[in-house]
Amino acid sequence: MKSATRSASSPYFTTIEAGAHRPIGGISKRGFDIAAASLALVVFSPIFLLLMALVKFSDGGSVFYGHRRVGHNGRFFKCLKFRTMAPNADRILQDHLRKNPKAYEEWQATRKLQDDPRVTVVGSVLRKLSLDELPQLLNIIRGDMSVVGPRPVVEDELELYENSAVYYLKSRPGLTGLWQVSGRNDVSYAARIAFDTHYVTNWSLINDVVIVAKTIPAVCLSRGSY
């Protein structure tokens, strides 16, 4: 179930009340989302089941991981992924950042690590091929996400958007987007914000189709994926 809870400490949620902005694209974008996600679930169901088995039997931990992310109008939701990290990932991260100043600087700048000690062997393969994100098809059908849009962020990350946060909050977060087909982790966070802002202010269904088409070679080539 989606949560309408917002953080009182964040200034970006105070200007947007529930229902103040309908998601960009309206009915046409939502219809495209449902049709595309439903078809993808059917087509990829054998792979989906195989990956569930691989994750489960790799270390006996949970198959899925749901992380709280900020969605449309500031509503929080559980963004689903195949679990790619060790069960004690938070402790591993804190220990690693404390012992490695360069890793700490990288984390502060991008909220990602190119050499992430939390990632399992199976998880590293899933991330390289972006297969860990397949469960987000369920988020799309539920209405938490869209096929194309800004990548979902955590609450602390939204502060990096500053004045551009309003554009992020006007859209459902996407399974893919301009950032994914424009270098992904190889570009700066400022560039990512610019991509998200440009996408929202220039949305069209044709652009969504073009981005989906560009996502296929980007995933196959693993550009900027880690």
Side-chain angles (χ1 to χ4, degrees), residues 24 29 32-33 140 145-151 171-178 199 203-205 207-213 215:
I24 60 166
K29 184 172 175 62
F32 175 76
D33 287 343
I140 294 171
M145 295 178 61
S146 180
V147 173
V148 182
R151 281 300 294 160
S171 175
R172 289 187 178 96
L175 176 61
T176 187
L178 275 179
Y199 170 78
W203 178 85
S204 74
L205 191 57
N207 285 340
D208 275 8
V209 174
V210 170
I211 290 172
V212 170
T215 298

Side-chain angles (χ1 to χ4, degrees), residues 22-226:
R22 293 188 177 184
I24 60 166
I27 295 175
S28 60
K29 184 172 175 62
R30 181 63 182 145
F32 175 76
D33 287 343
I34 294 173
S38 299
L39 177 61
L41 276 175
V42 172
V43 172
F44 293 116
S45 57
I47 297 176
F48 204 99
L49 294 173
L50 175 62
L51 295 180
M52 289 176 64
L54 284 174
V55 174
K56 183 63 178 178
F57 294 120
S58 64
D59 60 10
S62 60
V63 172
F64 299 107
Y65 176 72
H67 197 266
R68 194 173 89 149
R69 301 295 175 100
V70 181
H72 170 245
N73 275 341
R75 292 182 180 273
F76 295 114
F77 70 98
K78 290 290 186 180
C79 184
L80 300 175
K81 289 188 176 185
F82 285 121
R83 183 177 58 83
T84 60
M85 295 185 180
N88 58 339
D90 289 340
R91 182 179 60 79
I92 293 175
L93 175 64
Q94 294 305 317
D95 289 345
H96 183 70
L97 296 181
R98 186 172 60 252
K99 297 175 182 177
N100 297 273
K102 288 186 177 180
Y104 178 80
E105 292 177 2
E106 181 184 2
W107 178 261
Q108 290 296 107
T110 66
R111 293 301 195 273
K112 285 182 176 289
L113 295 175
Q114 188 162 359
D115 296 313
D116 197 326
R118 300 170 295 173
V119 180
T120 64
V121 174
V122 171
S124 64
V125 176
L126 296 184
R127 286 185 167 206
K128 193 70 175 176
L129 300 175
S130 297
L131 292 173
D132 60 314
E133 297 177 356
L134 276 180
Q136 289 167 29
L137 293 170
L138 300 174
N139 284 122
I140 294 171
I141 292 174
R142 288 169 49 184
D144 300 324
M145 295 178 61
S146 180
V147 173
V148 182
R151 281 300 294 160
V153 300
V154 298
E155 186 176 351
D156 288 345
E157 275 185 281
L158 197 60
E159 296 180 1
L160 299 176
Y161 278 66
E162 298 182 342
N163 293 335
S164 296
V166 66
Y167 298 106
Y168 174 93
L169 295 170
K170 287 182 178 180
S171 175
R172 289 187 178 96
L175 176 61
T176 187
L178 275 179
W179 175 62
Q180 284 87 333
V181 301
S182 304
R184 202 170 179 176
N185 293 312
D186 290 336
V187 301
S188 68
Y189 207 95
R192 170 178 171 172
I193 295 170
F195 286 136
D196 289 347
T197 302
H198 178 82
Y199 170 78
V200 173
T201 55
N202 295 276
W203 178 85
S204 74
L205 191 57
I206 292 177
N207 285 340
D208 275 8
V209 174
V210 170
I211 290 172
V212 170
K214 288 183 177 181
T215 298
I216 298 172
V219 169
C220 292
L221 296 173
S222 301
R223 291 202 299 262
S225 180
Y226 54 83

